[in-house]
Amino acid sequence: MPTPFELVFGVAVLVGLGVLFVFGRRLAGAFLRYRGTRVVVCPENREMVAVRVDAGHAALSAPQGRPELRLESCTRWPEKRGCGQECLGQIEAAPQACLLRNILGDWYQGKSCAFCGRSFHAIHWHDHAPGLVAPDGKIVAWDAFRAEQVLDVLATHKPVCWDCRVAESFRREHPELVTDRPRPLGPPPSMV
Ligand SMILES: [Zn+2]
């Protein structure tokens, strides 16, 4: 039979673990929710800016209640470093919608590649990032743009899948090395 002390100690350990679990979940949840580059409208000049929330600070303040948001960086800094960070209201209202990765992912969804016509499904940004065709027909990768330009780019460019981006870029850079063969019939071998 456990002694009363052992019982109390056991209950205290369980309660402690429970509190740690709840706090840990809130902490990790806030960190994951607020990390990443976001595109918002700067309330001061009404132009798009790319910002990053201090996810570490949001996470550490999350267990006490609502996570406290503050900016870690903004494309208008350092000139506007002392701004009131009013754009945080947009992030608080819709943290996922202004996340750059989500904006781009949503844009590709339901569209088809301007070259091969295949539809986009899940995008693998780390190793098979799709690209774009500029209005002048040039193929460009996303790293050619700044995050705050993204909405303008989406309005003027067409989507290109990773396969075509790599193949077409190579074809344009080394036309002497490329021989065109007719495409095989049948369903495409893989989707982006
Ligand atoms: Zn394609």
Side-chain angles (χ1 to χ4, degrees), residues 25-36 38 55 59 96 99:
R25 246 173 58 135
R26 279 195 195 170
L27 204 134
F31 182 79
L32 295 176
R33 192 168 332 120
Y34 290 111
R35 68 182 178 159
R38 289 180 158 83
Q96 297 306 312
L99 200 57

Side-chain angles (χ1 to χ4, degrees), residues 17 31 61 63 88 106 141 182 186 192:
L17 284 176
F31 182 79
S61 61
L88 286 170
D106 286 350
V192 172

Side-chain angles (χ1 to χ4, degrees), residues 20 27 31 38 45 57 64 77 110 117 120 154 163 166 168:
L20 266 183
L27 204 134
F31 182 79
R38 289 180 158 83
N45 65 358
H57 180 76
Q64 293 108 53
W77 289 3
F120 290 95
L154 296 183
D163 293 332
V166 173
E168 289 299 320

Side-chain angles (χ1 to χ4, degrees), residues 148-164:
E148 66 271 28
Q149 296 176 301
V150 73
L151 294 190
D152 286 339
V153 173
L154 296 183
T156 50
H157 289 57
K158 289 194 180 119
V160 175
C161 73
W162 181 82
D163 293 332
C164 292

Side-chain angles (χ1 to χ4, degrees), residues 113 115-118 160-161 164:
C113 170
F115 283 95
C116 68
R118 280 184 285 176
V160 175
C161 73
C164 292

Side-chain angles (χ1 to χ4, degrees), residues 75-169:
T75 42
R76 292 191 75 199
W77 289 3
E79 299 90 77
K80 296 282 170 185
R81 177 90 218 195
C83 75
Q85 305 193 2
E86 278 97 10
C87 63
L88 286 170
Q90 296 163 50
I91 296 172
E92 238 168 345
Q96 297 306 312
C98 50
L99 200 57
L100 184 60
R101 185 157 287 210
N102 290 349
I103 296 174
L104 298 186
D106 286 350
W107 186 74
Y108 279 102
Q109 279 300 318
K111 289 195 172 56
S112 343
C113 170
F115 283 95
C116 68
R118 280 184 285 176
S119 318
F120 290 95
H121 297 279
I123 308 281
H124 301 287
W125 290 104
H126 58 289
D127 58 354
H128 280 68
L132 301 149
V133 195
D136 63 2
K138 237 205 238 156
I139 293 173
V140 273
W142 275 108
D143 50 20
F145 302 103
R146 297 196 306 274
E148 66 271 28
Q149 296 176 301
V150 73
L151 294 190
D152 286 339
V153 173
L154 296 183
T156 50
H157 289 57
K158 289 194 180 119
V160 175
C161 73
W162 181 82
D163 293 332
C164 292
R165 173 164 77 81
V166 173
E168 289 299 320
S169 303

